[in-house]
Amino acid sequence: RSTLFPYTTLFRSRSNYIFTKYTLNNVDLAGNTFLMPEADANVKGWFEADIRTITVTQPSHGTITAPASAQVGSTVTLSCTADTGYALQYFTVNGSQIQGNTFVMPASDVTVGASIAANTYTITVTQPSHGTISAPASATYGSTVTLSSSADSGYELQNYTVDGVEIQGNTFTMPAHNVTVSAVFEST
């Protein structure tokens, strides 16, 4: 009769996989040691993909789309839809800026984010008759733009216009497009 003795086995996992269990003749083993039976032994090692979690920190003025998880070593692709008047500057993984919109999933959970900034638009000045106006050459979406003017002798400012529409006062909020400003002067 055969004597039972301890037998230790060790399987090596492939890259990006995690060892989950051993089985002996299709029965789960506790650990990697078993007593060798008197009959043939069928020992198997079981592995599964090393999957890690991706947490998304949504930025102000946009939405990031990313998978909820990914296998270690795989390429993860991020996308971002910025709100009107805003644009994606760059993505981050664990707080560090990445180039482009992809990264290779490390052997740890990650948090992805993005930097989104207001777009800058051009302000074109069309000089009116009987005076001059000034404005900045450009402004970021949502910012307050201040116009100023100087009337010719015998004239006074009646109103400013933005894209041909009269505005109240001398300020307006920059829209999400280039604008043309002007003014109307009247004789006094």
Side-chain angles (χ1 to χ4, degrees), residues 124-128 131-135 147-150 157 159-161 181-185:
T124 302
V125 175
T126 299
Q127 292 298 339
T132 59
I133 65 168
S134 61
L147 306 174
S148 61
S149 65
S150 175
L157 176 70
N159 64 275
Y160 291 101
T161 62
V181 297
S182 191
V184 175
F185 291 94

Side-chain angles (χ1 to χ4, degrees), residues 63-89:
T63 304
I64 299 171
T65 303
S69 60
Q71 183 174 352
V72 172
S74 67
T75 298
V76 177
T77 301
L78 306 173
S79 64
C80 180
T81 302
D83 295 345
T84 299
Y86 293 86
L88 171 69
Q89 303 298 300

